[in-house]
Each structure stands twice: as structure tokens, then as C-alpha cells.
Amino acid sequence: MLAMSSCLSHCRHHHQVRLHRGAGPDRPWPAAASFATPLRRRAARAHAMSAEAPPGVAPAEPGPGTATQAAILSEMVEDAAVWCAVHGLVVGDRENPRSGTVPGVGLVHAPVSLLPARFPTSFWKQALELAPLFNELVDRVSLDGEFLQESLSRQVLYSVWCSSDIHVELRFRLPPSTIDSQRIVCHAKLVTLNFKRNSVLCYLTKQVDDFTARLLEIHEKMMAINKKEDIRLGLHRSDYMLDSETNSLLQIELNTISTSFPGLGSLVSELHRNLLIQYGKVLGLDSERIPRNWASSQFADALARAWSEYNNDSAVVMMVVQPEERNMKTLAQVEAEGKINTDGTLVVDGRIVSVVYFRAGYSPNDYPSEAEWKARLLMEESSAIKCPSISYHLVGTKKIQQELAKPNVLERFLDNKEDIAKLRKSFAGLWSLDNEEIVKSAIEKPDLFVLKPQREGGGNNIYGHDLRDTLVKLQKEQGESLAAYILMQRIFPKASLTPLVRGGVCFEDLTISELGIYGGYLRNKDKVIVNNPSGYLMRTKVSSSNEGGVATGFAVLDSVYLTDE
């Protein structure tokens, strides 16, 4: 980060300046509170505190501070808050019970860093270059249904000693004999097997966590009817950190559903440009080094072009959201109001839907009843363009990320050796829990690993002693629990002192940052219409926190300041 200390004298990295109590280890900041007008200008008082970088974080570099910069900091906090209010860089206030239910009520500025994060230009260009490659990879992998099914279902061989004669009936599903717009009817074949006493019965079973199993069930039904998705729309985000130990850009994860913050992320870039236009000269910073961020407009353009490809002027784009949001549809509403016409057209509340954009559906909490699952299946069966389709959704799971990192797997989907090398260079170490040696290493040295479940939305990863305890428990339980996690190499980013603003309050802390590059992809049959990087998201969190979700309260929104380092 651009380290502008608010100390009145020179401040080393083991000193912190806090204008307010910040976040502790694995603890989000206090919920944002409405700020008074005019804002109180808070003088920064330095006090010595231990700010040693925690495990997984490289030490920070010292940052100089002056009384002039302290005064500037105070002015910038107020200017930033006003700019956020004027330009819509706001979020709902969780402390206000009417927020989210009454339009315009209970809004506060989004949590932001006061200055952009330093990021080397060479790694920035590398991240942009990877975006269209990951877009194409997602599309290619999504077409291989067998790969998705096999990779996401952990197969286990069981052997049973038969101490007496056993009579077994096995029912195999055959291809569907009857298909219509409402249901699939499958016949089954019954096979009877007899096992004599003192023989061994061996059988394979698939093990997968319940949530992924339900997604796979929908995917399998689409495979059974040979469902074609001629128009394919993907709005992705690939997240990276700079590893200080290897000096390399490593991928954290690839998101294919509900890629958050293209709108607010774009605004933060403009906020920082505006602040540096005003204060950059005295700070020695150039606003032109903040790259333009067109994420919101490029996402909107991709959705509009997908709507155009559907070629029905009366059709609408439908946003599927979580409850208590407005002007959109929840999964339950889609199930209650939706139907599919005989030609495959999706109709919801009497309106033809050309594009379905999922802002919900990535978490088990989004499916509290069978109605939500029926809605998801209904949309998949329709001819509407899904963003993402069930296959794109599955490609974004942690397990597929781990499978793609295995030797020779990328070659299954891509032909260009240079592209394969570029993608593989960004992969961190990834392992399944079937790898006993890696699991043993993770138990012995948990600070070198992250245990990641098949979940999206932040706040789910497991670290340190919790990682060790969870692995020991999973080893004892065996079963489907092992299939619900992967192990990942822990990345060691460099920490920096950063002024952060939340709820109108500014404080300084050691932070690390994570860069997300959005990617837009649109294909109609063999014609690729869109395949490009589509803006970026920078998130910064206190280095003592393992998690990094903005919505979950662990991080703030940020932007990029390109450097020649």
C-alpha cells in the first residue's frame, strides 16, 4: 500500500496509528455507523503497539510521516466520505433496521482504503493477459461433462467379506425414453447378483458433499437430455496475491458465479483518482498511475450483448437475488411464477426471460427448501442464457481448480503450449485430501496451508490450529467430508501500513491486498463475441485477519497504483 503515516514524527512499521479501534485477528471491524455532518476532524496520535506481521504475511516496510501529511489525512477522510455519498459509493447500514427495506434509508459509505495499493506494472500486465485464457478454459472445461462429474465425485472402493450367501439387486438407469418440457422419464434395468459364502464383494461408491451433490444432480439431468447451450455467457473474476517468497503472481481462486463488486470497485478507482488530483502533488503521487476501471460498464455491455444475441426484443434480463432485495426475483419467486413454454422459452411473471444473471445460488443458504432447487432446475432446462449455466458454475468450484492444477490436465482442454504455460505459472499448490503425504505435512505445519471448502462468499477458509484440528477430525470420519475440501499452499504477501476508512472513521493498520481481474466471455455457437479482461477489483484487509470478504466485514475496497518495482 502507499504508506502515508499519520504520525507526527517518523514512524517505523512496528508502530501503528489508530483513529479508532480496528479489526483484531479473524474479527471484522465494527458494523458501519452513520457519520455526522460535519465530520469531526480527528488528530492522529501515535502510540507504540506490536505490529509484527502474523504468519502468512511478510514484514512491512517503514513509512515516513509528517505533521503536514497528518493534516492532509484528516482532510482526505472528509473529502472521501462526501465523494462516496455524492457518487453512490455506499452500502446498507446493518445497524439500521430499515436499511435494505426502505429505498434510500440506512446508507453509509462503503469501507475503503484512503489511498490505492501499490502494484508492480509487470504483474498487472500478467494478470490482464491471463483473463481471456481463463475465460476460454472455463468454456472448454464446461463442455466436458464427464470430467466435471468424475472430478467432483470422490470415488471410493469398498470390499466386503461375505460370510454367508448374499442376494443383491442393482438398478441401473438407462437413457431417457420420454422427454417433455416438464419432466424426464427414465426406465431402469434390474440386475440380480448372487454372492456365495466366503467370497469378496467389491463395489465403488461416489462421495460428495450434499450441496455439490445437488448441483451435480442438475448437471447430470442436463447431460441426460443432451441440453445444448448455444449462447454461453460468463462473467468471471480471477483473484491473485503477490507471493513475497517466490516473487510471483499466484491465483487464489476463480469465480464463475455472482462475481461481486464490479460497480463499487469501479467507483473506488475514481475516488482515488479524484483524491490524488487534489492531494497528489503534496503526497508525491500521480493520479494517472491508477488504471481506469470499467468493470461495471463492461459487465452491463456483456449482458446487453447476450440479450441482443437472444434476438427477442420483448424479452428481459432477470437478476436472481437473495431475499430482501428489490426489483429482481428470488429463487422462490422464480419457482412460484416461472414456467417453460413448449419451445423452451422461460417465462417468469408473464415475461419472457432472455438472460438469467445469478447474484444468488452459490451458497447452501440460498436453497432453504425444495422450491429453490426446482427453480434452479427450471431455469437450466429453459433456453434462456444463464450466467452462469450449471456447468460454468461447477467449473468455478475449488475442486475443479485443484484438478486443473494437476500435471497434464490443462492439455486436455487447451492446445496452445504458451497459453498453458502462462496459466500453470499462476497456479499455487493445490491438493485433494486423498493425498496422505500432503495432509500429513499440513497437520505438522498448518501455517503453510489453507483448507478450503466447496463454498463461495467469504468467511469459509480454515487456517492454523483450526486447520490441523479439522484435518485430524476429517481423517477419523472419512466418508463424504473429505470430498468437501481441498488443501492450498498458503501465499505470503508483503504487508504495508495503510489508512483505512469505515463508517466515517479512519485508522491505520498493517494490511495485505488481493487483486481480482474480471473477465467477460460471450459465445454464440462457434462465434466468440466477447473474450477480454473487464476491469478489476482490489480488496485490502488487515494482515492479522485470515479472511478477506468485504461484505462479511473483513476487508475494504481499494484500487491499484501502478509502480515500476
Side-chain angles (χ1 to χ4, degrees):
M1 297 296 301
L2 297 175
M4 187 189 74
S5 174
S6 51
C7 301
L8 302 181
S9 60
H10 287 282
C11 175
R12 298 194 321 199
H13 76 273
H14 60 272
H15 288 259
Q16 285 183 312
V17 175
R18 290 177 182 265
L19 305 184
H20 190 274
R21 175 179 172 270
D26 303 320
R27 181 180 67 242
W29 285 284
S34 300
F35 47 85
T37 303
L39 284 169
R40 289 178 293 170
R41 296 179 182 268
R42 302 172 182 266
R45 294 178 299 166
H47 54 92
M49 297 181 64
S50 173
E52 294 298 324
V57 179
E61 297 177 353
T66 65
T68 301
Q69 288 183 341
I72 291 174
L73 177 72
S74 182
E75 291 182 17
M76 289 177 67
V77 171
E78 182 168 346
D79 287 349
V82 171
W83 194 97
C84 290
V86 171
H87 293 86
L89 183 48
V90 294
V91 294
D93 182 1
R94 294 179 181 177
E95 296 294 298
N96 190 323
R98 302 177 69 200
S99 178
T101 60
V102 181
V105 173
L107 297 176
V108 295
H109 74 80
V112 296
S113 64
L114 197 59
L115 291 170
R118 286 184 178 273
F119 202 84
T121 302
S122 58
F123 290 121
W124 167 258
K125 291 180 178 178
Q126 179 188 350
L128 292 180
E129 187 178 17
L130 287 171
L133 303 184
F134 275 115
N135 288 342
E136 183 180 358
L137 179 63
V138 169
D139 190 54
R140 296 280 186 91
V141 175
S142 73
L143 296 173
D144 194 334
E146 294 298 332
F147 174 80
L148 292 174
Q149 289 284 331
E150 292 171 5
S151 298
L152 289 167
S153 300
R154 180 174 176 264
Q155 289 193 330
V156 180
L157 177 65
Y158 286 96
S159 298
V160 179
W161 176 258
C162 303
S163 58
S164 60
D165 292 350
I166 295 179
H167 174 79
V168 180
E169 289 186 351
L170 301 176
R171 190 174 296 273
F172 294 93
R173 285 186 303 172
L174 297 180
S177 60
T178 304
I179 300 175
D180 62 26
S181 62
Q182 300 299 321
R183 66 188 187 280
I184 307 168
V185 180
C186 295
H187 291 304
K189 183 178 180 181
L190 186 66
V191 177
T192 301
L193 301 174
N194 294 301
F195 293 87
K196 297 296 183 181
R197 182 180 179 182
N198 296 332
S199 63
V200 178
L201 168 61
C202 297
Y203 62 96
L204 279 171
T205 183
K206 289 184 176 181
Q207 295 183 334
V208 61
D209 68 282
D210 292 340
F211 178 62
T212 306
R214 293 300 299 266
L215 296 175
L216 284 172
E217 182 182 330
I218 294 175
H219 179 255
E220 191 174 25
K221 289 178 179 178
M222 297 305 100
M223 291 176 62
I225 63 173
N226 195 26
K227 181 70 167 62
K228 299 295 185 183
E229 300 285 345
D230 289 336
I231 307 175
R232 308 169 71 83
L233 173 63
L235 294 174
H236 311 137
R237 194 187 70 233
S238 184
D239 295 333
Y240 306 92
M241 275 186 172
L242 288 177
D243 184 40
S244 61
E245 294 198 341
T246 60
N247 192 34
S248 57
L249 184 78
L250 296 181
Q251 186 185 55
I252 304 294
E253 64 181 356
L254 178 63
N255 303 276
T256 60
I257 182 170
S258 186
T259 47
S260 57
F261 296 118
L264 293 182
S266 301
L267 287 173
V268 175
S269 301
E270 290 307 304
L271 166 66
H272 285 160
R273 288 176 68 89
N274 182 271
L275 289 174
L276 292 195
I277 288 172
Q278 290 182 262
Y279 301 101
K281 187 174 181 180
V282 68
L283 297 174
L285 302 173
D286 182 3
S287 64
E288 293 302 314
R289 284 186 172 266
I290 300 176
R292 293 286 185 179
N293 190 353
W294 307 111
S296 59
S297 60
Q298 288 182 306
F299 265 40
D301 180 67
L303 288 166
R305 295 179 77 169
W307 174 87
S308 178
E309 290 296 316
Y310 192 82
N311 198 27
N312 186 328
D313 290 345
S314 63
V316 298
V317 175
M318 181 175 71
M319 305 285 180
V320 179
V321 301
Q322 293 167 334
E324 298 185 8
E325 296 189 44
R326 297 174 298 278
N327 300 325
M328 305 155 194
K329 296 293 182 182
T330 64
L331 285 168
Q333 288 173 316
V334 172
E335 195 277 332
E337 303 170 9
K339 67 176 183 178
I340 299 178
N341 291 340
T342 55
D343 63 354
T345 301
L346 175 64
V347 179
V348 178
D349 194 22
R351 309 189 73 175
I352 296 173
V353 177
S354 58
V355 181
V356 177
Y357 180 73
F358 287 95
R359 276 292 294 137
Y362 55 83
S363 165
N365 296 332
D366 293 332
Y367 302 87
S369 71
E370 283 301 308
E372 286 77 16
W373 287 111
K374 289 179 181 178
R376 185 67 187 269
L377 177 61
L378 180 78
M379 290 181 281
E380 290 299 329
E381 290 176 325
S382 77
S383 62
I385 303 165
K386 275 75 68 175
C387 184
S389 64
I390 189 66
S391 57
Y392 270 35
H393 184 172
L394 292 173
V395 175
T397 58
K398 308 294 191 300
K399 180 61 180 175
I400 295 300
Q401 181 185 2
Q402 178 254 313
E403 289 290 323
L404 292 173
K406 288 182 176 179
N408 303 317
V409 175
L410 286 179
E411 286 79 358
R412 176 171 176 169
F413 304 104
L414 301 173
D415 301 319
N416 189 299
K417 292 183 179 180
E418 290 185 3
D419 290 346
I420 291 171
K422 291 174 183 176
L423 289 169
R424 189 164 282 141
K425 183 180 178 182
S426 71
F427 290 163
L430 295 157
W431 305 274
S432 73
L433 299 193
D434 293 330
N435 191 322
E436 294 181 0
E437 281 298 313
I438 290 295
V439 171
K440 180 181 177 182
S441 297
I443 291 174
E444 293 173 351
K445 300 178 180 179
D447 288 336
L448 299 181
F449 297 87
V450 181
L451 187 62
K452 307 182 80 171
Q454 297 276 34
R455 295 290 180 270
E456 302 295 333
N460 298 304
N461 296 337
I462 303 172
Y463 301 82
H465 294 300
D466 291 338
L467 181 150
R468 175 191 291 139
D469 294 343
T470 302
L471 286 178
V472 171
K473 180 182 177 182
L474 291 174
Q475 281 190 319
K476 291 179 181 178
E477 292 177 350
Q478 292 295 312
E480 68 181 39
S481 298
L482 291 173
Y485 296 88
I486 67 165
L487 271 170
M488 180 176 172
Q489 161 198 350
R490 187 160 187 174
I491 299 172
F492 291 81
K494 182 176 290 187
S496 300
L497 281 170
T498 308
L500 309 170
V501 185
R502 181 181 281 270
V505 178
C506 180
F507 64 95
E508 192 174 57
D509 214 326
L510 279 176
T511 65
I512 56 177
S513 298
E514 180 177 320
L515 173 68
I517 299 294
Y518 295 109
Y521 186 86
L522 176 64
R523 176 167 67 82
N524 190 343
K525 296 182 179 178
D526 294 331
K527 181 183 178 182
V528 176
I529 300 164
V530 175
N531 184 16
N532 51 41
S534 303
Y536 71 93
L537 171 69
M538 184 66 97
R539 287 168 294 179
T540 290
K541 66 177 181 178
V542 173
S543 59
S544 58
S545 172
N546 284 323
E547 292 296 345
V550 175
T552 48
F554 295 102
V556 303
L557 295 170
D558 207 337
S559 68
V560 167
Y561 188 90
L562 295 177
T563 69
D564 299 326
E565 299 173 10

